Amino acid sequence: MLQYAVLAPFLTALIVPFLFRYIRAIHTGWLILPIPFGIFAYFLSQLTNISEGHTQLSGIEWVPSLGMNFSFYLDGLSLLFSLLISGIGTLVVLYSIFYLDKNEKLNNFYVFLYIFMGAMLGVVLSDNIYALYLFWELTSISSFLLIGYWYERQASRYGALKSMIITVLGGLSMLGGLILLSIITGTTSIREMIAASDTVLESPYFTGILVLILLGAFTKSAQFPFHIWLPDAMEAPTPVSAFLHSATMVKAGIYLTARLFLLFGGTDIFFVLVTGFGLLTLCWGSYMAVRQTDLKAILAFSTISQLGMIMTMLGFGTKEAAFAAVFHIFNHATFKGSLFMVAGIVDHETGTRDIRRLGGLMTLMPISATLAFFGAFSMAGVPLPIFNGFLSKEMFFQTSLDLETTSTLVASIAPFVPALAVFGSIFTFVYSMYFFFHTFTGETRGQLKVKPHEAPIGMLISPIVLVLFVVIVGLLPNMINEPILTPATAAIYGELPNKHIVFWHGFEPALYMSMIVVALGVILFLTRTKWQSVYNWIPGVLSANKTYDYLYNMQFRVSERTTRTYMTGSIRHYMLYILIFIIGATGVTLFVTDGFVIDTSDLAPISWPEVVVGLVMAIAAIATILMKNRIAAILVLGIVGYGLSLLFVFFRAPDLALTQLIVETVTVALFLLCFYHLPKLDTKKQPVGAKTLNIIVSVSVGVLVTLVAIASHSSKKFETIAHYFIKESHHLGGGNNVVNVILVDMRGLDTLFEITVLGLAALGIYAMIRLRDKGEMD
Amino acid sequence: MTNLIFLPILIPLIAGTMFVFFRKRLPLVRAGTQIVTILNLAVTAFVTYYVLENGTLVLQTGGWDAPYGIILVGDGLAMSLILTTNIIAVAAAFYAPYSLDKGREEFYFYTFFLILIGGVSGAFLTGDIFNLFVFFEVLLMASYGLITLGGTRQQLRESIKYVLLNLFSSILFVTTVAFLYSVTGTVNMAQLSVRVGYVNQTGILTTIGILFFIVFATKGALFPLYFWMPNAYTKPPAVISALFGALLTKVGIYSIIRIFTLIFNGNIDYTHTFFIVLAGFTLIFGVAGALSTNNIKLIIAYNIIPAIGFMIMGVGVFSELSLSGSIYYLIHDMVIKAALFLLVGAVAIVAGTTDLRKISGLIKEFPFLGWMFFIASLVLAGLPPFSGFIGKLQLLQGAFENGHYVVAIVALITSLLILISVMRIFILGFWGEGMDLPQNTRSIRPLYFPISFLLIFSIVLGVGAEWFLPYIQQIGVDLTDPSVYIDAVLKKE
């Protein structure tokens, strides 16, 4: 059944283009809205089953030879995410029907969106690491396409590419980690890996694997310093931002960390990395959010910060923290989803998302303002029982105080954690207030192109549903405790949490922390114009974005520079590199393997004529290089050829001598004919250095080939197959001339294709002469 | 039955020769070529299936027993590569008539093309190292014909480098064969394997092996021997670039795989470690080349190099898994490189330029072309569920299992850079504001068929990997055990 839930969105994506084309009267969104809702209903029906502790496993084989299968596993954790994906997916599709006009490229939009939905379900349901990786990359790709939906805009293209580069980088790193895991544990199933967690823990590659996999999780979940892609991803249409870039895709990294918690959790290195980067992201994201002027940018940095907070809790490694993380995953999806939708409504109705130009919208858009109020105050963690955000935030504070300080490393870091948690939360409070009050209260600050009015009801339904969750969960948190939160925590931590959520704990440190957040938050919010200049100091000119841009451009610059250095277009250079490589590789091999041997026992006596001919050939060969005139050079080169025919005569091979003689004569004649048309030989002086290098290289190649030739001759170990040819030539081949029999019979295939080569050469030359680009001739 | 394996060489050879005499009757030659390539594909598919199911076919040409005569060996590796070659041939046969000018077609394009296919098939089949040289000459001579065909100034300028460097490596090839013959007294590859193994691959044999490696690495465009390749491959028309990019360098890689599993397997610590180092550099420098240019054809041509790096990495790691990965990657790369060259050829036709800075917004007018390019980019970068991933995964697993972490991580980073290099074409060329398209260009609609034919095969090779993988893995197993090949060739009476 699970595989059909994953498959359904993909199949829908396949038919969307046809629906869009042939049913123009109805907005395509309506036609495909039932799909995510059906999936949602299915997962809802699994709630009791899962909360009773049952799990579900099903799937289909893909490439069993490599252990790659689509095996899907439903437990508390994957159920929580599946519900979020299909539930918010339904709301987002509904919202998008009103957000995107029928004249938009809806076919593209819904294809990408449904591919994403299927892929995201695949990520959270896959038990097989390769299927997980497949869906993981598919979410990156669909996110890339959705961010680039308005591809005429430069910013969309920039954001799309940036998100893809960073998330695919992380994906590849994760793949490396997963491959190592599968090698160590001998399985490709995550459940079986977890069962073998001792092997992983003892492996010398533990740290390496952890770092590789966390790199995947951190890039996907926009952890510092990889968070930079998320603000640029806001170029996507707002339904996409609400769905991918706040509720689901960016939580894939969180999901992965939670899923592999039983493998890595509880170790010092896991705590340091996950909590460390989480806290850094929490503080940095909330601090930077206050500075933004675009509504969606505020929400983007807010998402970064909240993801950091969830990551931090996972890093804590305690059961309570895991529970709090799960709770906050749920809460964040509700309030952030609704806030994004409100931002989209504001953008839609006023034509701008620039918070400096907005204000006083409360009277014009009362419903949106109310929704924003609940979303923002829940996000800020205002201590009232109608905000679910407060409940999970207080748990965060509580767990930050209750760290298990068993190791000295954790003990030395633990005291700073609550302080940083409070620091980050203060800014969260500030930007939440800023988001709400600056948009909906006060005076209208700029001239708007259109007169704003409340959004159509269809657009409001989705955020209303989400805000209802904010309030209901705030009031009755235990309603989702047993069916959703407890099973999810159990799946992460391996034990049932037995946690009862209460609003009032009494006067506990966590409450004081909340009070500090609210008190300092209010002060900072009211005085924010006074301290804005702090951003000139931190981050000042430092920026991860600039680093990304620098690296991105540098890869092209460096590539171009290096490539241009050696790809000179000069055949001399190429030849030189190749020869140097030959000298190096062959020379070193000959030396290292002690391959050089010399054995003179098998040599024939050398007669004087042979010596003389040899010397003449050598002198002629050298002389060829020194000639200043082409014709002279080719004539001198001819001496080498004729010398060779003489040697053939001495070695009793008259037919070879004849062939050589003819070849030599014809080539010399041809050369002479051609050279008549060529300009004078360029005798430009080469620099001494280059000349010396050339001489060294040429001589070395010559020496090396000679050495290999001598060694080859001296290492004769076997009887050659030539004896067979001589013996059988007459008997089997029916000819007395062995060479002839070899050419036409024994190795006739060689001859056939050498003839083909000659034929091709003839055709090539004919084509070259006849078919020339007339325009380019001068 | 054994005679069948000669057909993939014979059919194109005869057809190619015949078409010389019908130079002016283009409709006949075009249709003839298309029929012949399809016929050849069908025959090859049958023979490949037969070989994979029933084992290696050995043909002793002229009835001369091994190891004395020339032996053609149709084993799983050879046949699966020939099958892939013929798939590309069909695509090229249907692409050429709609993209080439009449002059090139009349001056024997189809003959060169068919004989090139025959030569490539021969190189895959032969079990004789001197005959391998001969088939190299056939395919090189056909490629010389193709690269100069049309005689534009730029073409000739790059051709001369191409011809000279290839001639040089051919000379080195035949010289090295002579050295090897001197030591071992044979040119039959199975017997070479036996004899080289018998003397434990003495130092001089390792040296000769390295010389062979240099020869094939030059043909195969490995670092630092590929200088002749990128520019030469981009100057002729797209269909010729596709044939070169898909087939020529791959014959070099095939030869390395064959020679260094079958013959020179006695000093793996030395030779194969050397390969891994070179593979790392090939990956980096190759992809750097692809990032260095705005010429879309050149981007694809440079991308040949890192792919070679992946394959050599698998040979260097030298495990059953990594060799299977190399072969899977090889097959994948042949298909996708052909598809990409054909794609950028179509882009160049509609945009009137290959300069990426002058192309934008094509997806509005040509959505199908755009999405085909997008998918091809993902295939090239080795993202699942496409074919590149199946090969890459095995290569990475093999590298990690055998402790070659550095090269594995280099390979991972290279994958990302490959993706960036081609995604740039999509983002800049297909996205963005629409451009003023040149008028009166020929329609590219007929080109969609051959391109999608290749792409579908690529996708099937990935999504349907389980249909192919057991065979390829078996090839990987057989390659690590030379006795399989030797027994097939020498013990056959």
Side-chain angles (χ1 to χ4, degrees):
Chain A
M1 193 57 202
L2 291 172
Q3 61 266 36
Y4 300 112
V6 177
L7 198 61
F10 287 112
L11 293 178
T12 316
L14 272 182
I15 58 161
V16 160
F18 301 101
L19 294 176
F20 180 69
R21 191 157 181 182
Y22 296 112
I23 311 179
R24 290 309 295 257
I26 310 171
H27 194 289
T28 315
W30 286 119
L31 301 172
I32 54 175
L33 183 61
I35 305 294
F37 185 73
I39 299 171
F40 180 70
Y42 166 70
F43 283 116
L44 218 48
S45 74
Q46 298 301 309
L47 270 179
T48 35
N49 232 337
I50 298 294
S51 62
E52 281 164 10
H54 304 293
T55 56
Q56 219 195 98
L57 185 68
S58 68
I60 28 176
E61 290 201 324
W62 176 30
V63 191
S65 309
L66 288 175
M68 270 190 237
N69 292 308
F70 292 111
S71 54
F72 298 110
Y73 177 64
L74 189 70
D75 64 356
L77 183 63
S78 40
L79 181 64
L80 166 69
F81 275 92
S82 302
L83 283 171
L84 287 178
I85 295 159
S86 54
I88 297 188
T90 312
L91 297 176
V92 161
V93 172
L94 176 66
Y95 178 81
S96 70
I97 294 170
F98 298 91
Y99 188 85
L100 287 174
D101 194 75
K102 259 197 281 187
N103 301 323
E104 287 274 358
K105 300 165 291 200
L106 291 179
N107 50 343
N108 286 359
F109 180 79
Y110 286 117
V111 168
F112 305 157
L113 197 73
Y114 275 64
I115 289 179
F116 167 77
M117 200 186 292
M120 194 64 212
L121 283 171
V123 167
V124 298
L125 287 170
S126 289
D127 179 53
N128 185 288
I129 52 169
Y130 298 123
L132 171 70
Y133 174 71
L134 184 162
F135 290 120
W136 184 278
E137 295 293 38
L138 209 49
T139 60
S140 296
I141 299 297
S142 48
S143 158
F144 164 80
L145 292 169
L146 284 164
I147 299 169
Y149 174 67
W150 284 305
Y151 54 72
E152 295 91 347
R153 300 182 188 165
Q154 160 68 24
S156 296
R157 299 196 297 270
Y158 174 80
L161 183 62
K162 192 183 204 173
S163 78
M164 182 165 77
I165 290 177
I166 293 176
T167 52
V168 170
L169 171 74
L172 287 166
S173 159
M174 180 185 90
L175 175 66
L178 291 176
I179 291 177
L180 277 171
L181 265 183
S182 79
I183 291 172
I184 291 171
T185 57
T187 172
T188 53
S189 148
I190 294 174
R191 283 174 315 119
E192 287 171 24
M193 283 177 179
I194 288 172
S197 60
D198 290 343
T199 336
V200 179
L201 211 58
E202 285 155 16
S203 155
Y205 306 117
F206 180 83
T207 313
I209 294 172
L210 179 64
V211 169
L212 285 172
I213 289 182
L214 282 182
L215 191 62
F218 286 177
T219 48
K220 199 81 169 179
S221 282
Q223 298 295 295
F224 187 90
F226 306 109
H227 65 282
I228 50 171
W229 66 267
L230 192 58
D232 286 305
M234 293 299 126
E235 290 302 325
T238 301
V240 172
S241 311
F243 190 31
L244 274 72
H245 304 130
S246 84
T248 55
M249 187 181 93
V250 287
K251 295 215 176 85
I254 305 271
Y255 167 79
L256 184 72
T257 315
R259 178 54 83 200
L260 300 179
F261 183 86
L262 286 173
L263 274 183
F264 302 117
T267 57
D268 280 4
I269 176 100
F270 181 80
F271 169 75
V272 170
L273 287 175
V274 177
T275 299
F277 277 93
L279 278 173
L280 196 57
T281 311
L282 163 67
C283 296
W284 187 250
S286 60
Y287 172 73
M288 290 301 285
V290 182
R291 184 201 197 187
Q292 306 304 317
T293 53
D294 179 347
L295 284 183
K296 280 176 79 177
I298 298 175
L299 293 179
F301 276 100
S302 151
T303 304
I304 292 167
S305 158
Q306 301 277 328
L307 292 167
M309 180 175 146
I310 300 171
M311 209 50 115
T312 310
M313 290 192 266
L314 286 175
F316 286 169
T318 57
K319 192 157 63 176
E320 286 70 27
F323 183 83
V326 168
F327 194 23
H328 201 70
I329 289 171
F330 185 90
N331 294 340
H332 178 249
T334 55
F335 65 70
K336 189 56 66 61
S338 63
L339 284 175
F340 261 110
M341 289 178 183
V342 170
I345 290 172
V346 170
D347 184 16
H348 208 256
E349 304 303 324
T350 64
T352 182
R353 298 194 314 248
D354 190 336
I355 199 164
R356 289 167 301 188
R357 296 172 59 197
L358 294 167
L361 292 178
M362 178 125 54
T363 48
L364 300 166
M365 306 168 73
I367 304 175
S368 305
T370 317
L371 296 174
F373 168 79
F374 281 101
F377 277 62
S378 179
M379 179 160 75
V382 173
L384 285 175
I386 48 171
F387 302 124
N388 60 358
F390 167 71
L391 297 172
S392 43
K393 174 147 297 174
E394 201 171 52
M395 275 187 205
F396 170 51
F397 289 149
Q398 189 60 48
T399 51
S400 75
L401 294 165
D402 295 344
L403 285 179
E404 276 171 22
T405 50
T406 41
S407 83
T408 46
L409 184 68
V410 178
S412 59
I413 297 173
F416 301 103
V417 175
L420 286 168
V422 168
F423 177 83
S425 301
I426 292 170
F427 284 97
T428 305
F429 187 88
V430 175
Y431 70 69
S432 302
M433 297 304 116
Y434 176 52
F435 179 90
F436 176 71
F437 287 105
H438 216 270
T439 312
F440 291 100
T441 65
E443 298 288 310
T444 313
R445 270 166 269 264
Q447 283 301 311
L448 298 175
K449 279 186 222 119
V450 285
K451 171 121 182 69
H453 50 81
E454 189 55 86
I457 181 67
M459 223 168 168
L460 288 167
I461 295 173
S462 300
I464 288 174
V465 172
L466 289 172
V467 163
L468 281 178
F469 271 102
V470 170
V471 179
I472 295 171
V473 171
L475 289 168
L476 305 165
N478 291 305
M479 195 183 77
I480 59 163
N481 187 343
E482 202 158 301
I484 298 177
L485 303 182
T486 301
T489 314
I492 297 176
Y493 197 77
E495 285 174 32
L496 284 174
N498 295 327
K499 177 98 182 160
H500 189 74
I501 313 167
V502 286
F503 169 70
W504 180 253
H505 292 275
F507 290 100
E508 297 253 344
L511 183 68
Y512 298 137
M513 287 164 83
S514 286
M515 309 287 254
I516 296 172
V517 167
V518 174
L520 284 179
V522 169
I523 295 171
L524 281 180
F525 170 64
L526 293 174
T527 61
R528 70 186 180 286
T529 45
K530 309 277 194 303
W531 53 268
Q532 280 286 323
S533 57
V534 73
Y535 288 103
N536 298 333
W537 296 90
I538 300 169
V541 290
L542 289 175
S543 128
N545 265 317
K546 280 188 194 139
T547 316
Y548 164 83
D549 289 339
Y550 175 77
L551 286 174
Y552 179 74
N553 292 320
M554 194 186 74
Q555 65 176 343
F556 297 111
R557 266 208 316 277
V558 170
S559 300
E560 196 189 341
R561 213 169 293 156
T562 5
T563 307
R564 220 177 25 213
T565 318
Y566 66 84
M567 294 296 287
T568 54
S570 154
I571 182 84
R572 274 168 178 262
H573 291 160
Y574 297 168
M575 207 59 225
L576 192 66
Y577 304 145
I578 291 175
L579 289 176
I580 290 174
F581 179 73
I582 292 177
I583 296 164
T586 320
V588 168
T589 309
L590 195 63
F591 181 75
V592 168
T593 60
D594 201 14
F596 183 70
V597 274
I598 187 156
D599 174 13
T600 52
S601 61
D602 193 28
L603 294 180
I606 304 169
S607 66
W608 276 109
E610 289 163 15
V611 174
V612 172
V613 171
L615 277 177
V616 169
M617 283 170 72
I619 293 166
I622 294 167
T624 315
I625 310 167
L626 302 174
M627 288 293 149
K628 303 272 185 245
N629 179 299
R630 284 183 204 273
I631 295 187
I634 203 63
L635 287 175
V636 176
L637 187 63
I639 296 176
V640 181
Y642 291 120
L644 187 61
S645 351
L646 264 180
L647 284 181
F648 280 139
V649 174
F650 292 152
F651 298 150
R652 291 180 301 164
D655 41 359
L656 283 182
L658 263 176
T659 317
Q660 178 69 26
L661 218 57
I662 293 165
V663 168
E664 205 54 41
T665 311
V666 172
T667 39
V668 169
L670 276 176
F671 268 129
L672 289 177
L673 274 174
C674 296
F675 283 1
Y676 178 76
H677 296 281
L678 287 181
K680 276 218 164 63
L681 199 61
D682 187 14
T683 50
K684 201 168 53 190
K685 278 262 180 284
Q686 273 190 305
V688 184
K691 211 165 186 174
T692 322
L693 181 64
N694 287 349
I695 292 173
I696 293 172
V697 169
S698 326
V699 172
S700 310
V701 171
V703 169
L704 197 67
V705 172
T706 313
L707 290 180
V708 176
I710 292 173
S712 301
H713 179 82
S714 308
S715 317
K716 284 196 164 98
K717 296 258 166 46
F718 301 96
E719 192 191 349
T720 76
I721 52 172
H723 297 300
Y724 173 87
F725 295 143
I726 295 166
K727 202 174 76 196
E728 302 292 342
S729 163
H730 181 74
H731 166 63
L732 287 174
N736 285 321
N737 185 327
V738 188
V739 177
N740 284 353
V741 175
I742 291 176
L743 284 179
V744 300
D745 191 347
M746 291 161 164
R747 299 190 65 91
L749 198 67
D750 282 345
T751 314
L752 171 66
F753 282 98
E754 287 298 355
I755 293 167
T756 314
V757 169
L758 290 179
L760 283 176
L763 286 182
I765 291 163
Y766 181 63
M768 260 209 283
I769 295 168
R770 289 286 307 275
L771 183 68
R772 268 190 288 186
D773 198 336
K774 306 279 187 307
E776 289 190 22
M777 280 177 57
D778 40 18
Chain B
M1 206 64 211
T2 55
N3 280 324
L4 277 182
I5 59 170
F6 194 56
L7 286 179
I9 307 175
L10 194 64
I11 294 172
L13 179 69
I14 292 176
T17 313
M18 297 247 298
F19 293 153
V20 173
F21 304 103
F22 300 97
R23 180 163 85 84
K24 294 276 183 187
R25 301 178 64 181
L26 274 183
L28 176 79
V29 175
R30 286 174 186 154
T33 306
Q34 290 169 353
I35 292 167
V36 165
T37 51
I38 290 173
L39 173 75
N40 205 19
L41 177 61
V43 169
T44 318
F46 171 71
V47 180
T48 309
Y49 177 76
Y50 184 87
V51 165
L52 290 176
E53 288 295 317
N54 300 306
T56 306
L57 286 175
V58 177
L59 174 66
Q60 304 188 330
T61 60
W64 292 93
D65 290 345
Y68 304 107
I70 294 172
I71 308 296
L72 298 182
V73 185
D75 65 350
L77 175 59
M79 286 319 299
S80 47
L81 293 178
I82 294 174
L83 182 62
T84 317
T85 303
N86 280 295
I87 286 167
I88 292 157
V90 171
F94 281 86
Y95 190 95
Y98 306 102
S99 63
L100 285 179
D101 50 297
K102 210 166 147 227
R104 285 193 170 94
E105 286 188 275
E106 282 185 349
F107 279 95
Y108 316 117
F109 167 81
Y110 295 101
T111 298
F112 289 129
F113 160 57
L114 285 169
I115 296 184
L116 178 79
I117 299 296
V120 169
S121 305
F124 289 144
L125 275 175
T126 187
D128 182 290
I129 204 156
F130 185 78
N131 191 242
L132 180 65
F133 167 76
V134 173
F135 278 116
F136 260 100
E137 288 306 290
V138 173
L139 66 95
L140 283 173
M141 192 50 79
S143 79
Y144 301 155
L146 287 171
I147 203 168
T148 53
L149 193 62
T152 67
R153 188 169 274 257
Q154 285 186 327
Q155 256 183 303
L156 294 178
R157 191 188 299 134
E158 291 305 324
S159 303
I160 186 80
K161 295 172 203 165
Y162 174 80
V163 173
L164 278 176
L165 285 178
N166 272 298
L167 273 180
F168 171 76
S169 77
S170 293
I171 294 169
L172 191 61
F173 191 174
V174 78
T175 314
T176 313
V177 171
F179 291 155
L180 186 61
Y181 177 74
S182 169
V183 178
T184 60
T186 185
V187 286
N188 177 289
M189 297 199 316
Q191 196 178 25
L192 278 169
S193 174
V194 174
R195 291 191 169 181
V196 169
Y198 189 73
V199 294
N200 294 322
Q201 193 177 328
T202 51
I204 183 62
L205 281 168
T206 305
T207 313
I208 291 171
I210 290 294
L211 277 173
F212 270 118
F213 176 76
I214 291 168
V215 169
F216 298 131
T218 313
K219 315 265 188 208
L222 208 74
F223 178 86
L225 304 161
Y226 56 70
F227 312 102
W228 53 273
M229 191 274 285
N231 283 310
Y233 275 22
T234 50
K235 296 297 180 266
V239 63
I240 297 176
S241 303
L243 287 171
F244 284 15
L247 303 178
L248 293 191
T249 50
K250 307 306 183 292
V251 183
I253 298 310
Y254 158 80
S255 308
I256 291 176
I257 293 176
R258 181 67 90 197
I259 303 268
F260 281 90
T261 52
L262 182 62
I263 302 176
F264 299 104
N265 51 21
N267 195 353
I268 287 175
D269 284 345
Y270 179 76
T271 50
H272 291 54
T273 310
F274 177 58
F275 298 166
I276 289 185
V277 174
L278 284 185
F281 283 109
T282 307
L283 287 167
I284 296 168
F285 278 87
V287 80
L291 291 169
S292 72
T293 172
N294 282 308
N295 180 328
I296 52 174
K297 271 183 105 174
L298 204 51
I299 292 176
I300 305 302
Y302 268 114
N303 261 312
I304 293 173
I305 301 166
I308 302 288
F310 277 114
M311 297 167 212
I312 292 301
M313 173 178 140
V315 182
V317 171
F318 203 70
S319 69
E320 289 168 2
L321 192 64
S322 75
L323 285 168
S324 159
S326 282
I327 294 158
Y328 214 94
Y329 205 89
L330 175 56
I331 293 171
H332 140 80
D333 194 59
M334 288 166 81
V335 179
I336 195 61
K337 281 291 143 54
L340 276 167
F341 270 114
L342 297 184
L343 274 165
V344 293
V347 171
I349 289 175
V350 294
T353 173
T354 54
D355 189 341
L356 191 52
R357 287 165 297 192
K358 293 179 190 154
I359 309 173
S360 77
L362 289 181
I363 203 157
K364 238 170 275 166
E365 292 281 327
F366 306 97
F368 192 59
L369 186 67
W371 293 120
M372 283 201 295
F373 186 85
F374 185 75
I375 290 175
S377 304
L378 300 184
V379 177
L380 180 76
L383 287 176
F386 302 116
S387 51
F389 181 69
I390 309 290
K392 197 168 71 180
L393 179 65
Q394 298 177 72
L395 290 169
L396 288 171
Q397 275 179 344
F400 276 127
E401 264 172 11
N402 293 282
H404 302 291
Y405 302 106
V406 178
V407 80
I409 286 170
V410 168
L412 282 170
I413 295 170
T414 305
S415 305
L416 176 70
L417 297 177
I418 291 174
L419 182 67
I420 295 175
S421 76
V422 279
M423 216 32 100
R424 263 182 84 220
I425 303 182
F426 183 77
I427 290 178
L428 297 174
F430 285 97
W431 280 359
E433 301 282 349
M435 63 183 286
D436 293 327
L437 295 171
Q439 299 302 309
N440 302 325
T441 51
R442 57 208 296 180
S443 163
I444 58 161
R445 205 158 273 279
L447 305 182
Y448 288 172
F449 165 68
I451 299 172
S452 45
F453 175 70
L454 291 177
L455 268 187
I456 287 170
F457 186 71
S458 250
I459 293 168
V460 170
L461 203 56
V463 178
E466 191 60 27
W467 297 330
F468 311 98
L469 197 59
Y471 296 117
I472 307 287
Q473 285 185 328
Q474 184 57 43
I475 295 172
V477 173
D478 291 350
L479 283 179
T480 50
D481 179 14
S483 65
V484 176
Y485 187 97
I486 296 169
D487 290 349
V489 174
L490 292 183
K491 295 213 175 128
K492 201 149 193 166
E493 286 305 314

